[in-house]
Amino acid sequence: MILVYGGWPTRSQRILWLLEEMGLPYELRLVDLRLRREDAEFIAVNPSGFLPVLKDGDVSMIESIAMIQYLGARYGPSPLVPAPDDPVWPAFLQFLHLGEASLAAYLNPVVATAFLAPAAERDNYGVRAAKGLFFNRLALVETQLEGGPHLAGEAFTAADISVHYALEMGARLGLSEEYGPAVKAYAERLTARPAYQRALAKSPPRPLGPAT
Ligand SMILES: N[C@@H](CCC(=O)N[C@@H](CS)C(=O)NCC(=O)O)C(=O)O
């Protein structure tokens, strides 16, 4: 049985949503991001202490985009994870990775600063630069969506799941007012998907920020 360590709001959303879309059975082991260092079982599977972790038999993985590629290859074929002979494959791969490497990853220091930094250090050059890089790359998403309903073309794929997580992360940081019209409409449309709603129902959102 596939086991996912995580819960809302973390990148485990990507994996839970994909598993629901693919109709694969899985178990969710909730890990509270704020208390993870005290969760000995979780720290044993990822000593660096970040989420999500995916376990599948002897397989143990700690990068969400790699997990998406693993699940598609191991349990596909699936239209969610197009194959190399599919004409949409290059666009799929590009936006699949852009969602983490060029969007969500830039927001990690913004989250840490917003929730953990002393008030006087919240608005600093590094955070402004990270937000600038996020919006610079987000412009590519806006342009792509002006040409079609999803990032790899007509069909919804896991590239949309990847990027959507970054959009939610930005929204939690109060950045969504600055999203373009195509991105705003797309974010709302994707959230209405039944598989997204099923995944969310299994893992009610927890607050970000330090445990009280
Ligand atoms: N590139 C990794 C990023 C993982 C990551 O940053 N996870 C966040 C939660 S969504 C986390 O655990 N942050 C706390 C930390 O890095 O210590 C992935 O895509 O899985």
Side-chain angles (χ1 to χ4, degrees):
M1 173 73 87
I2 295 167
L3 176 61
V4 181
Y5 289 76
W8 241 257
T10 71
R11 286 161 174 85
S12 62
Q13 287 178 224
R14 288 178 174 145
I15 309 310
L16 304 177
W17 187 1
L18 178 65
L19 288 165
E20 291 286 347
E21 293 278 0
M22 290 178 75
L24 293 170
Y26 65 90
E27 273 175 34
L28 169 63
R29 163 65 159 77
L30 287 170
V31 178
D32 188 329
L33 195 55
R34 302 163 305 164
L35 303 172
R36 66 193 189 279
R37 304 258 171 228
E38 292 142 52
D39 187 334
E41 186 203 324
F42 166 62
I43 293 299
V45 293
N46 183 4
S48 288
F50 58 86
L51 292 160
V53 171
L54 177 127
K55 287 186 76 83
D56 185 20
D58 292 338
V59 172
S60 186
M61 299 183 73
I62 49 79
E63 277 292 339
S64 64
I65 304 304
M67 291 172 203
I68 289 173
Q69 293 191 287
Y70 167 80
L71 290 169
R74 172 78 179 75
Y75 294 102
S78 162
L80 275 292
V81 185
D85 62 354
D86 190 318
V88 305
W89 187 62
F92 160 75
L93 263 192
Q94 175 163 284
F95 283 97
L96 176 71
H97 286 275
L98 181 135
E100 178 59 25
S102 294
L103 290 175
Y106 285 127
L107 295 183
N108 269 15
V110 183
V111 170
T113 308
F115 293 103
L116 302 173
E121 291 181 43
R122 287 208 183 126
D123 185 31
N124 63 61
Y125 186 88
V127 162
R128 287 196 297 275
K131 285 183 192 168
L133 289 163
F134 171 81
F135 278 108
N136 171 273
R137 275 58 167 170
L138 191 58
L140 299 174
V141 176
E142 180 74 19
T143 303
Q144 185 78 354
L145 292 173
E146 284 163 4
H150 297 104
L151 293 171
E154 282 305 308
F156 173 81
T157 68
D160 299 297
I161 290 179
S162 169
V163 168
H164 189 270
Y165 176 76
L167 297 177
E168 285 201 338
M169 207 174 164
R172 282 194 284 272
L173 289 162
L175 304 178
S176 54
E177 279 306 305
E178 293 168 61
Y179 294 173
V183 165
K184 277 185 182 156
Y186 163 84
E188 214 172 296
R189 209 158 18 88
L190 262 56
T191 304
R193 288 183 72 88
Y196 175 95
Q197 292 297 332
R198 283 198 302 277
L200 179 59
K202 289 181 188 164
S203 169
R206 293 175 198 239
L208 281 170
T212 47

